Amino acid sequence: MLAGFRSFAKSPFAVVLFGLLIVSFAVFGISDVFRHPPGKWVIAAGSRNMSPEDFKAQFENFRKQQQAQGQTITPDVAVQQGVDRKMLTQLALQESLAELVRKMGVRPSDKLVGDTLREQLASLPPGQRPFDPITGKFDPVMYQRLLAQNELTPARYEASLRDDIAQAHLFSAVASSLRAPRIYSALQAAYGLEGRDLAAFAINPATVEKPAAPTDAQLQAFMKEHAAQLTRPETRVLSVARFSAKALENTVTVPEADIVKTYNFRKDTLGTAETRSFVQIVAPDAKAAAVIAQRLAKGDQPAIVASAYGKQPVMIDSKPKSALPDRKVADAVFALAPGQVSAPINGDLGVSVVKLTKISPATTPSLESQRPAIEAELKTQAAQAKAYEQTQTYQDAHDGGANLIDAATKAGALVLTTSPIAANGADQTGQPVAGLTPDALKTAFELPSGGESELIEAGKGEYFAVRVEKVIPSAMPPLAEIRAPLAQQWQLDQLLQRMKAKADELVARVKKGESLEAVAASAQTKVQRVPNITRQNARQFQGLGRDLLMGAFGAKPGVAFVSRGPQGGYLVALVEKVHPGSPEQMAQITEAARPQTSQGLFRDLGMAAQEAARTQLKTKVNLTLARQAIGVDTSALPAEDGKAPAKAKEKAPKGLAQ
């Protein structure tokens, strides 16, 4: 909701400079600007202090956003992962920069802040604007409620708005006059357009000795060397009882009487209510209202009639009676015929006259049009009830001593016995096992062999219980079981080692002065050449492989090197020539890249400005108090130096760290 609120105050230059800062605003919220008693703050930047309560509110905002993304972060986890420290650091940078801008004298006027706020409020969707729908006046109660939904107060939001305006104006002025020197983008152009002519040949596998079949001792050593890759994870054989409303839906029949009963009950809410469109003119008194009614009845234009009293007519379009806030006006409007003018109305919000312009009759959908949706909904409800009944039967049998399979069979539930599966839900072939939820897997791998879980509700009429039939510990497979593929991998590994040794030998010959062609011929292969590889066109040469491209850009001209080939094996390569890009291309890219280079320079200056502001203001943060604010027991944490609990240092200068 506040995305529209804040967008007006963000200039393009501020977005460029404060990309990271804006992200942190979105994640952590807006900081308080009111001072608090000494020692009762987590951040102190000049005249700006942040209270523990405000830090806690921002931490809770962050937690909510993480939970919306499926991540749960407790205060203790935040400390373990360093989230609290990162938040405090980023907020300290924000406060420092805002305070430095204030001290520089960049302060928006009250009028500018008010105008900006009004424009932001007016840009909100109609149902969210804090204005009275009849009078159009600003409603402070609605405004406070709107901000409270985002854990803000008017004072805090408007103070933040001042900061935004001040920083946007200051840095847009800086950005408009900042331009990176041409040499910066020229160097980038030269770097990107530098061309390299590459020559290379592949090592022919036929030129190296083929490895013999490995012995058992060699395979055992190879297994030990690659134990991490070969060790199979712990697997378990599970019996899973599933009580599924979804699976039961096809077995449920919905009586016609229930469909009709549901339709009749909802009929009034399924359609649309009658709506009316009308024009309303607020009169200064009853006498004026009578004149207004007479003129409207004669056919005078509402705008002309209202202007005689310094008013504007209020146009209300297609509103049901329940949406009209003034009950007396609503009764009058819904008693008129199209084109008819009411008598003066002494409403709750003053005297007014209305003229009805349009009636849109109420609509009610037919039973047949609603039947599929109602039948599907009733089927779902009946299936959920049936699944719940199954769980009760299962629970009674299980409590009576029956094991999971017997109890589930008595209840008529689905029972699945799996092949050995790992904690990630995959079987021994690496394929996922159908019918297992993440919760079922997590529960199963927390039980001992033979253990049975309690019934667990998965939502929407889905329940499950799991039994561990067998636990197969993590271990390497026996040699006899994997001998053939392991021997093949051993031989391939040996072959690659010998090809690498051959490549090193051939590179040494090139470095001693032999030509690349002569060395390649002696290795029964040919040299391949690829001209003018640049960093700009490198995507066109992805077929050469990442290692060869990186080697080409990192090698010195005329110095041979060894690289892995794109399809395996090894290559001997040489950068034969390095040449610059054409002057025309250099000039074009230099000018084209200059704005981007300026933006990069601007970002660097912006980050440096934050750090400089924090250093100049000697901004202090109280990490211990911040942690206490979010509910962490700091007495159980080691001090920053790891020598003593944090509580033992409370008598130090407030536990502050700059």
Side-chain angles (χ1 to χ4, degrees):
M1 185 180 298
L2 288 181
F5 251 52
R6 301 186 59 98
S7 61
F8 180 82
K10 307 296 183 186
S11 72
F13 301 102
V15 172
V16 170
L17 174 61
F18 295 112
L20 293 175
L21 195 58
I22 292 171
V23 170
S24 68
F25 274 146
V27 174
F28 303 127
I30 306 167
S31 58
D32 193 1
V33 298
F34 296 102
R35 301 200 65 179
H36 297 273
K40 298 298 182 183
W41 39 259
V42 296
I43 298 174
S47 66
R48 303 169 70 94
N49 297 328
M50 176 179 289
S51 71
E53 295 76 17
D54 288 331
F55 183 81
K56 179 181 179 181
Q58 295 186 27
F59 177 76
E60 291 301 324
N61 283 337
F62 173 73
R63 288 183 64 184
K64 289 178 183 177
Q65 294 198 1
Q66 294 303 302
Q67 288 174 355
Q69 299 173 8
Q71 301 181 24
T72 301
I73 294 187
T74 65
D76 290 333
V77 170
V79 172
Q80 293 171 7
Q81 297 180 355
V83 173
D84 59 332
R85 189 186 300 273
K86 292 177 182 178
M87 285 180 62
L88 203 58
T89 299
Q90 187 59 52
L91 291 169
L93 291 172
Q94 294 176 22
E95 295 297 303
S96 300
L97 186 62
E99 173 66 4
L100 186 62
V101 171
R102 186 196 67 80
K103 292 186 71 173
M104 292 170 63
V106 182
R107 304 175 189 176
S109 67
D110 292 341
K111 182 179 183 304
L112 178 58
V113 174
D115 291 344
T116 302
L117 181 59
R118 278 190 292 273
E119 290 189 27
Q120 290 180 346
L121 296 176
S123 67
L124 292 174
Q128 298 176 10
R129 298 172 188 169
F131 298 103
D132 188 286
I134 302 300
T135 64
K137 292 183 178 180
F138 175 74
D139 188 334
V141 175
M142 294 177 63
Y143 176 53
Q144 292 178 9
R145 189 182 303 119
L146 175 66
L147 292 175
Q149 293 173 4
N150 294 271
E151 298 187 10
L152 292 170
T153 64
R156 250 156 93 208
Y157 179 72
E158 290 161 20
S160 170
L161 185 58
R162 286 183 181 275
D163 289 344
D164 290 341
I165 296 173
Q167 293 174 22
H169 283 206
L170 173 64
F171 291 107
S172 63
V174 173
S176 65
S177 58
L178 178 67
R179 195 177 187 193
R182 187 175 283 106
I183 187 61
Y184 284 24
S185 55
L187 289 172
Q188 292 183 5
Y191 182 77
L193 291 174
E194 178 187 78
R196 295 189 167 225
D197 296 338
L198 181 68
F201 64 84
I203 302 302
N204 187 344
T207 62
V208 298
E209 182 182 358
K210 184 178 180 180
T215 65
D216 283 0
Q218 288 173 319
L219 289 179
Q220 292 285 2
F222 191 66
M223 288 181 67
K224 186 176 181 180
E225 182 182 352
H226 297 86
Q229 297 95 319
L230 292 173
T231 299
R232 292 172 178 172
E234 176 187 308
T235 57
R236 298 187 171 204
V237 177
L238 308 176
S239 290
V240 182
R242 193 71 182 265
F243 306 84
S244 173
K246 190 68 176 176
L248 291 171
E249 285 186 10
N250 291 333
T251 68
V252 174
T253 302
V254 179
E256 176 68 15
D258 289 349
I259 298 175
V260 174
K261 181 179 178 181
T262 303
Y263 169 77
N264 290 333
F265 180 75
R266 299 180 180 177
K267 183 164 55 176
D268 292 339
T269 61
L270 291 173
T272 59
E274 177 184 323
T275 62
R276 299 200 169 198
S277 301
F278 60 94
V279 59
Q280 180 180 19
I281 299 177
V282 178
D285 51 45
K287 183 178 179 180
V291 176
I292 292 172
Q294 292 176 358
R295 294 187 60 184
L296 289 177
K298 292 179 180 179
D300 290 355
Q301 291 297 319
I304 297 175
V305 175
S307 66
Y309 299 93
K311 304 286 185 179
Q312 290 287 337
V314 179
M315 310 299 294
I316 306 297
D317 184 47
S318 299
K319 295 291 183 183
K321 190 173 184 179
S322 60
L324 299 178
D326 192 320
R327 181 51 52 195
K328 293 180 181 179
V329 172
D331 290 341
V333 168
F334 276 78
L336 298 175
Q340 190 175 2
V341 178
S342 73
I345 305 168
N346 291 313
D348 297 331
L349 301 176
V351 182
S352 64
V353 177
V354 298
K355 180 177 181 179
L356 187 65
T357 58
K358 180 183 176 183
I359 296 177
S360 298
T363 61
T364 302
S366 66
L367 171 61
E368 292 307 313
S369 68
Q370 298 300 306
R371 180 185 298 278
I374 293 175
E375 185 175 9
E377 181 182 348
L378 294 180
K379 267 193 173 185
T380 298
Q381 293 174 358
Q384 290 176 353
K386 190 172 182 180
Y388 180 75
E389 290 174 2
Q390 285 185 336
T391 64
Q392 299 307 297
T393 303
Y394 168 87
Q395 193 66 58
D396 291 342
H398 197 257
D399 291 344
N403 63 30
L404 180 144
I405 295 178
D406 292 341
T409 302
K410 184 176 181 180
L414 303 172
V415 180
L416 166 71
T417 299
T418 70
S419 59
I421 60 173
N424 63 359
D427 60 18
Q428 291 180 319
T429 66
Q431 298 301 313
V433 177
L436 289 175
T437 66
D439 286 340
L441 285 168
K442 182 176 183 296
T443 302
F445 275 80
E446 291 174 349
L447 293 171
S449 180
E452 296 183 358
S453 73
E454 297 293 333
L455 269 174
I456 300 175
E457 184 175 358
K460 297 183 178 179
E462 301 292 319
Y463 310 84
F464 66 83
V466 62
R467 172 185 171 86
V468 179
E469 301 291 352
K470 184 179 180 182
V471 175
I472 304 170
S474 172
M476 282 202 299
L479 175 59
E481 187 176 325
I482 60 171
R483 180 185 299 277
L486 189 66
Q488 185 179 10
Q489 185 61 44
W490 182 90
Q491 288 180 304
L492 177 60
D493 188 71
Q494 291 295 311
L495 180 63
L496 288 174
Q497 290 182 31
R498 295 176 185 184
M499 292 175 67
K500 173 65 165 57
K502 182 70 173 180
D504 290 337
E505 174 192 329
L506 298 178
V507 162
R509 289 173 56 186
V510 175
K511 289 181 177 180
K512 289 180 180 180
E514 291 188 57
S515 70
L516 197 65
E517 281 78 5
V519 173
S522 69
Q524 303 176 26
T525 186
K526 294 182 179 181
V527 175
Q528 303 291 328
R529 286 181 167 80
V530 183
N532 197 34
I533 303 174
T534 71
R535 292 175 177 86
Q536 278 204 332
N537 67 11
R539 287 182 178 275
Q540 302 174 21
F541 301 99
Q542 289 182 345
L544 298 177
R546 181 175 180 272
D547 287 345
L548 183 56
L549 283 174
M550 291 183 64
F553 288 118
K556 293 181 179 180
V559 179
F561 62 93
V562 175
S563 171
R564 287 298 301 265
Q567 305 299 329
Y570 286 90
L571 303 167
V572 173
L574 179 71
V575 176
E576 295 184 314
K577 184 179 180 182
V578 177
H579 45 82
S582 68
E584 294 80 6
Q585 284 184 305
M586 289 274 291
Q588 291 174 358
I589 294 179
T590 295
E591 287 305 312
R594 199 172 182 189
Q596 184 178 359
T597 305
S598 297
Q599 290 180 1
L601 178 62
F602 197 31
R603 282 193 297 270
D604 292 343
L605 289 175
M607 296 174 66
Q610 294 180 24
E611 294 291 348
R614 182 174 182 178
T615 301
Q616 181 176 336
L617 295 170
K618 299 181 179 179
T619 299
K620 296 178 174 62
V621 298
N622 190 329
L623 181 59
T624 298
L625 190 58
R627 287 173 170 174
Q628 292 171 353
I630 62 177
V632 175
D633 181 8
T634 55
S635 64
L637 295 176
E640 293 302 303
D641 57 8
K643 295 180 181 179
K647 189 174 181 180
K649 292 207 170 186
E650 285 183 354
K651 293 185 179 180
K654 304 299 179 183
L656 301 181
Q658 290 189 17

